[in-house]
Amino acid sequence: MATEFHNLQELRHSASLANKVFIQRDYSEGTTCRFQTKFPSELESRIERTLFEDTVKTLNNYYAEAEKIGGQSYLEGCLACTTAYLIFLCMETRYEKVLKKIAKYIQEQNEKIFAPRGLLVTDPIERGMRVIEISIYEDRGSSGSSSGSSSVSGSTAR
Amino acid sequence: MITRKVRKWEKLPGKNTFCCDGRVMMARQKGVFYLTLFLIVGTCSLFFAFECPYLAVHLSPAIPVFAALLFLFVIAMLLRTSFSDPGVLPRALPEEATFIEMEIEAANGNVPAGQRPPPRIRNVQINNQIVKLKYCYTCKIFRPPRASHCSICDNCVDRFDHHCPWVGNCVGKRNYRYFYMFTLSLSLLTIYIFTFDIVHVSTVLEVLVCFFTLWSVVGLTGFHTYLISLNQTTNEDIKGSWSGKNRVQNPYSHKNIFKNCCEVLCGPAFPSVLDRRGLMQEDSPASSTSAAPSSSSSSNPMSQTMKTTAPLIPNEHTPDDAKPSIAASAEKSDSPKEEDPPTPQPWVALIKLI
């Protein structure tokens, strides 16, 4: 795990940022946090479709778990209300616990899957839970390949 | 170049004021909030000072105790509502803004010169209902469903209800339940004090304040109870988004009053996505450089055109000079840190609060 992380740092030093892809939110099931699993065309040559989809689906499952309205959330809500929500000052909410799990998962995915392919996934919480930002790096040594800005066509079919 | 570490709240755009090194977040105008505090604390002080000795002796000592607990609950709810992040959505960073711009342009195709480009709207289907997502020219994002831009705080807020001057903050996804508990508990407290005031009148002022507060606060609580049972926001109610014309129905409602109430009041406690207390690097240039002025010149036309005066309902503009400034920001090279015009020292914000 440590050596792969060093690969990630070496990636940042030896590679240059070529492009960024933003995976948008999927609102078809309401306002709960879900991201689209549609595979962006910019990543076609970089990563297998199934790996990408698995990552996004796992993230969606984590968010669904955090936002689930059921017995545990009622208990947490009612208990917090009786203490005038002061308990939130010392206790971590269920959502925050899941967010920590998500951060760990994204770091693992970056080390194992995305960094060796020259990609980097940013935690959605750093972008206001609006998008999953995937940075595409290119080896500085490679010549000729475009810097990416002109090749980005917003032609992802909607 | 002098690099120093600053907290992220110092660099946040928008018109909020921060206190306690980013732990507290409020709107700029706090005068009415101080009035609310004064009225509640003042009236309750009169009650405890003049009424309670009589009530404790002649009726029951439990009466002042319960009043004190209720009073503390009201204050706790008020402070929670006023001081917390209502659910502000951070603005898009340059790369994301450019990406969205390019998607819009690809979707619109070529617009003949002289013609207005079509409005920036994205349609999504939620529970078999088409919902239009509008583009926010200030935040450079397509607003999520139920989000709205507050012109007073100059932020997009998720599940925006309204901007409440009485609590000195917006009411949105994160603090709506605290706001509701505040109005509910304040109603109960007012009714409680008013009842005992009538039983034994000690201060006429107290009676008057309670009487007028009663009608407004109880009415407001009733209104919000109605909204919660339908899973609607004040903003949607005012705009008539789900009023039933053209067969539009509220796609967020579970069609069950109990389920709607549970979702709004007992749903998960959403965390803030702002990371106000996170640290970031700030490079203050030793001599004048081109970076800071160019970013300020591209962002200033934006903020000037977005100034509005509507207090409750956020206005939307499609400024014609938005396009050149967005194009200017797209030309900027990719840089990891945000470039902002120099901001005042953090302690200045604290002094402004006093």
Side-chain angles (χ1 to χ4, degrees):
Chain A
M1 189 95 74
T3 50
E4 283 167 311
F5 192 73
H6 281 301
N7 279 342
L8 188 59
Q9 290 189 328
E10 279 166 14
L11 175 81
R12 286 203 183 114
H13 286 131
S14 66
S16 63
L17 182 66
N19 199 2
K20 286 190 184 185
V21 183
F22 298 92
I23 313 297
Q24 305 287 333
R25 283 271 293 267
D26 174 16
Y27 294 115
S28 56
E29 287 176 25
T31 49
T32 49
C33 189
R34 246 185 95 84
F35 291 96
Q36 292 178 2
T37 48
K38 193 165 66 71
F39 189 61
S41 51
E42 292 90 342
L43 297 179
E44 249 161 42
S45 54
R46 293 292 201 140
I47 190 169
E48 293 82 356
R49 183 184 286 257
T50 47
L51 284 173
F52 168 82
E53 280 177 4
D54 280 344
T55 309
V56 179
K57 279 183 186 158
T58 313
L59 284 176
N60 284 342
N61 288 338
Y62 273 123
Y63 286 119
E65 182 197 325
E67 296 190 15
K68 198 165 74 116
I69 301 171
Q72 203 184 352
S73 78
Y74 292 156
L75 199 65
E76 193 183 52
C78 292
L79 183 74
C81 186
T82 53
T83 63
Y85 298 99
L86 292 171
I87 202 164
F88 284 157
L89 295 172
C90 37
M91 192 183 86
E92 209 178 42
T93 63
R94 191 163 63 112
Y95 211 114
E96 284 165 355
K97 286 185 188 140
V98 177
L99 285 178
K100 283 197 174 153
K101 280 201 262 183
I102 289 172
K104 202 164 144 228
Y105 172 74
I106 289 179
Q107 195 189 348
E108 275 172 16
Q109 291 292 102
N110 273 334
E111 286 165 14
K112 286 187 203 154
I113 297 176
F114 289 91
R117 290 169 174 78
L119 302 170
L120 189 70
V121 175
T122 308
D123 197 332
I125 194 107
E126 293 175 32
R127 298 289 176 263
M129 307 269 268
R130 279 193 317 267
V131 288
I132 303 176
E133 184 184 293
I134 302 180
S135 310
I136 303 172
Y137 286 88
E138 271 180 10
D139 203 4
R140 283 209 183 112
S142 69
S143 62
S145 53
S146 63
S147 59
S149 55
S150 55
S151 71
V152 173
S153 53
S155 58
T156 45
R158 291 232 153 250
Chain B
M1 292 274 263
I2 310 155
T3 309
R4 63 185 187 110
K5 285 215 165 167
V6 293
R7 297 263 187 205
K8 285 184 186 170
W9 66 263
E10 298 176 53
K11 295 289 173 195
L12 279 176
K15 294 183 194 158
N16 291 101
T17 48
F18 297 90
C19 192
C20 300
D21 200 19
R23 289 183 181 89
V24 164
M25 180 173 173
M26 289 181 80
R28 241 175 228 182
Q29 298 97 344
K30 291 174 278 295
V32 189
F33 165 70
Y34 292 138
L35 176 69
T36 309
L37 259 181
F38 173 73
L39 282 174
I40 297 174
V41 173
T43 314
C44 290
S45 306
L46 290 175
F47 177 73
F48 288 123
F50 297 110
E51 288 283 330
C52 283
Y54 174 85
L55 293 169
V57 169
H58 287 87
L59 286 174
S60 165
I63 295 172
V65 169
F66 183 73
L69 288 174
L70 196 52
F71 166 72
L72 289 173
F73 189 80
V74 168
I75 295 294
M77 290 299 101
L78 172 63
L79 296 182
R80 257 238 170 222
T81 312
S82 304
F83 292 168
S84 56
D85 170 9
V88 171
L89 296 167
R91 298 186 185 185
L93 294 176
E95 298 100 7
E96 192 188 335
T98 317
F99 184 84
I100 296 175
E101 276 289 316
M102 289 199 284
E103 275 194 343
I104 293 171
E105 264 163 43
N108 286 344
N110 283 324
V111 180
Q115 258 191 32
R116 269 184 96 87
R120 297 180 173 195
I121 289 182
R122 210 178 252 179
N123 288 324
V124 293
Q125 191 173 48
I126 301 177
N127 291 334
N128 299 320
Q129 184 84 48
I130 299 288
V131 175
K132 291 185 187 314
L133 304 187
K134 289 190 181 144
Y135 182 78
C136 182
Y137 282 91
T138 313
C139 304
K140 303 206 182 124
I141 56 170
F142 274 99
R143 287 188 208 121
R146 314 193 92 173
S148 200
H149 191 94
C150 175
S151 42
I152 301 175
C153 301
D154 204 22
N155 289 316
C156 270
V157 178
D158 208 353
R159 203 188 185 277
F160 180 72
D161 194 84
H162 66 287
H163 181 99
C164 185
W166 298 97
V167 303
N169 204 357
C170 287
V171 178
K173 182 166 88 166
R174 291 192 72 239
N175 64 352
Y176 184 66
R177 78 189 68 188
Y178 309 135
F179 174 76
Y180 180 73
M181 296 311 297
F182 166 63
T183 56
L184 184 65
S185 53
L186 185 61
S187 301
L188 292 172
L189 182 66
T190 314
I191 292 170
Y192 194 80
I193 292 179
F194 191 63
T195 316
F196 289 112
D197 266 352
I198 295 178
V199 162
H200 170 250
V201 181
S202 64
T203 330
V204 179
L205 180 69
E206 218 179 303
V207 179
L208 278 174
V209 171
C210 280
F211 182 74
F212 288 112
T213 310
L214 203 71
W215 291 112
S216 45
V217 176
V218 171
L220 188 67
T221 310
F223 174 63
H224 279 282
T225 311
Y226 162 76
L227 288 179
I228 287 175
S229 62
L230 294 177
N231 202 336
Q232 267 191 34
T233 64
T234 307
N235 195 34
E236 286 164 355
D237 188 68
I238 288 177
K239 285 184 178 169
S241 308
W242 318 120
S243 59
K245 62 175 188 214
N246 298 334
R247 292 211 197 114
V248 291
Q249 283 189 327
N250 187 356
Y252 314 108
S253 169
H254 297 280
K255 310 277 187 275
N256 178 330
I257 291 178
F258 182 67
K259 272 192 185 168
N260 285 339
C261 292
C262 284
E263 187 195 305
V264 177
L265 298 176
C266 300
F270 296 96
S272 171
V273 298
L274 277 185
D275 190 22
R276 306 188 290 277
R277 289 180 46 77
L279 290 165
M280 59 184 277
Q281 303 277 7
E282 188 209 20
D283 291 325
S284 43
S287 58
S288 62
T289 55
S290 57
S294 68
S295 68
S296 61
S297 64
S298 63
S299 61
N300 274 343
M302 266 322 221
S303 53
Q304 278 158 16
T305 49
M306 287 310 291
K307 275 201 170 69
T308 63
T309 52
L312 272 178
I313 307 170
N315 283 340
E316 275 151 358
H317 295 274
T318 52
D320 288 327
D321 58 345
K323 276 202 134 171
S325 57
I326 292 169
S329 69
E331 285 165 17
K332 271 193 294 184
S333 58
D334 180 49
S335 59
K337 59 185 188 302
E338 293 161 26
E339 294 159 322
D340 285 316
T343 50
Q345 310 262 351
W347 53 264
V348 174
L350 274 173
I351 287 175
K352 278 186 192 163
L353 249 158
I354 301 165

